[in-house]
Amino acid sequence: MAKDILELAAERVVVFDGAMGTMLLASGLPTGGTPELWNIEQPDIVEEIHRKYFNAGSDVVHTNTFGGTALKLADKGHEDKAESVNLAAVQIAKKACPEGRFVAGDIGPTGRMLPPVGTATTEELEETFYQQAKTLLQGGADLISVETMFSLEESLAAVRAAKKAGDCPVVAAVTYNKTPNGFFTMMGESVVQSAEAFEAVGVDVFASNCTLGSSDMLELVKDMKAATTLPVLIQPNAGKPVADDGGPTRYEQTAQEFAQDIKRIVDAGADMVGGCCGTNAEFIMEMVKHIQ
Ligand SMILES: [Zn+2]
């Protein structure tokens, strides 16, 4: 029987991919466009991005479905396309995926807030995540990756939905801000609270991505390892964003600088690593060289 990512992680460090959005923008996706529609409109470009990551040494790539819940797609009136864009996304990634590597069905935030901040209900979030996870698994995703979650409650709704949708490993990544008192989600949840809650719902990989650059994530990984016995996945941004007036957000860390920090993150205990905003296939290639 083929290995799953958990078995692979028991043997060596598992390498995920870098950013999808960064690569799509570089390929001509207009700022403010809906990346998921490119699974239908520009499938060759999406497939080429997956291939670049696999060629760079990624063991796992994420489907282009970060904003693929019907609730999120509804922001731009595309909720009726939820099933077709998610199904197409998995098919594209599987086409690019070599034997023995993996496709992670990507689930990101809905953009709806739970009380006290917003009026969304846990039930409606869980329902939209369930529909997305079911389609991703029907398409043949090997695992589900819940990522860039600013709220622990929303990520728990996604994890419960993914577990209900099928029997596969589930990665859960929240994004933390660094404060003088440690690392907290936007909603104020700590690393220890996150780990306990994820373990209680059966998460397989305790993860964090986005917001923080690689040097801050080197501190974060130590807190995460101390809080759990689950495998830990770390996906930093390429340093701190540089926002020029009116221009798009840029990241100025080099692939070498990033890869050197990733090596330290692995030495500090990370079981799986990848990149987030600002990273591309070159970052993954450098990373693989440094950790081999
Ligand atoms: Zn990011």
Side-chain angles (χ1 to χ4, degrees), residues 19 147-148 209-211 235-237 251 275-278:
E147 55 130 334
T148 324
N209 75 300
C210 212
T211 307
Q235 297 190 282
N237 287 348
Y251 292 84
C276 202
C277 302

Side-chain angles (χ1 to χ4, degrees), residues 65-90:
T65 54
F66 178 70
T69 55
L71 260 187
K72 180 69 186 166
L73 288 167
D75 287 350
K76 290 183 181 142
H78 300 309
E79 64 274 23
D80 57 321
K81 302 191 186 79
E83 193 176 352
S84 59
V85 297
N86 281 286
L87 203 55
V90 186

Side-chain angles (χ1 to χ4, degrees), residues 178-236:
K178 188 181 172 183
T179 79
N181 300 320
F183 295 97
F184 294 90
T185 68
M186 195 177 78
M187 307 306 287
E189 296 123 344
S190 70
V191 173
V192 169
Q193 273 177 295
S194 308
E196 283 173 358
F198 284 144
E199 286 178 9
V201 293
V203 161
D204 300 283
V205 178
F206 183 36
S208 182
N209 75 300
C210 212
T211 307
L212 302 172
S214 52
S215 58
D216 289 334
M217 287 252 184
L218 176 56
E219 283 176 51
L220 174 65
V221 69
K222 294 167 192 165
D223 288 5
M224 289 174 69
K225 286 297 283 188
T228 189
T229 55
L230 293 175
V232 166
L233 163 65
I234 297 287
Q235 297 190 282

